[in-house]
């Protein structure tokens, strides 16, 4: 049973910072991709940032320059450092991982953590 457990959400004032963390546990061969998506009220889930096993990083245009994603391969964790937060960053942030099960890969999602930025 694979689990993605997020931590680090909360309430912050505009201009502030938050750090989200995600830990993958369970049985899998490797983490192919890990990252975050977010879902604001009334909107579709959208990419925030992802990082692959080869350290290829993708950022949404809306967060470029304000967000940094990193991962610890040995601990099966990833972190998202968010700076200069804006009210429009308010959303539920979901950890995402594509895991290698040797003969197939599968996508997993965390339960989500609320990030609220007050203006």
């Amino acid at each position: 049973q694979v689990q993605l457990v997020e931590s680090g959400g909360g309430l912050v004032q505009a201009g502030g910072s938050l750090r989200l963390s995600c830990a993958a546990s369970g049985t899998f061969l490797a983490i192919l991709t890990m990252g975050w998506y977010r879902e604001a009220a009334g909107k579709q889930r959208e990419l925030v940032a992802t990082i692959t096993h080869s350290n290829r990083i993708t950022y949404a245009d809306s967060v470029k320059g304000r967000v940094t994603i990193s991962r610890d391969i040995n601990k099966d964790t990833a972190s998202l450092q968010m700076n200069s937060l804006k009210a429009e960053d308010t959303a539920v942030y979901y950890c995402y991982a594509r895991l290698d099960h040797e003969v197939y890969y599968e996508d997993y999602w965390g339960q989500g953590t609320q990030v609220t930025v007050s203006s």
Side-chain angles (χ1 to χ4, degrees):
Q1 189 79 352
V2 171
Q3 275 193 315
L4 299 180
V5 179
E6 302 125 330
S7 61
L11 173 65
V12 64
Q13 288 189 331
S17 298
L18 278 177
R19 186 177 182 86
L20 305 183
S21 295
C22 179
S25 64
T27 302
F28 51 89
L29 190 63
I31 298 175
L32 300 176
T33 301
M34 205 163 183
W36 274 265
Y37 285 69
R38 67 186 181 188
E39 192 170 318
K43 296 188 177 181
Q44 288 188 330
R45 191 172 297 188
E46 62 177 9
L47 167 76
V48 178
T50 58
I51 182 168
T52 70
H53 67 286
S54 58
N55 284 325
R56 185 176 68 185
I57 292 173
T58 301
Y59 293 113
D61 287 343
S62 59
V63 302
K64 278 181 182 176
R66 302 188 296 118
V67 164
T68 302
I69 190 170
S70 60
R71 62 180 289 182
D72 186 328
I73 295 175
N74 294 325
K75 296 182 180 180
D76 292 332
T77 60
S79 296
L80 187 73
Q81 178 67 41
M82 301 189 293
N83 302 321
S84 302
L85 284 163
K86 307 175 181 179
E88 50 263 43
D89 294 317
T90 295
V92 178
Y93 284 68
Y94 294 91
C95 179
Y96 159 82
R98 173 164 288 182
L99 304 182
D100 184 359
H101 292 287
E102 188 171 12
V103 296
Y104 69 98
Y105 64 81
E106 190 165 353
D107 295 338
Y108 296 86
W109 296 92
Q111 290 186 320
T113 185
Q114 178 70 46
V115 171
T116 302
V117 183
S118 62
S119 56

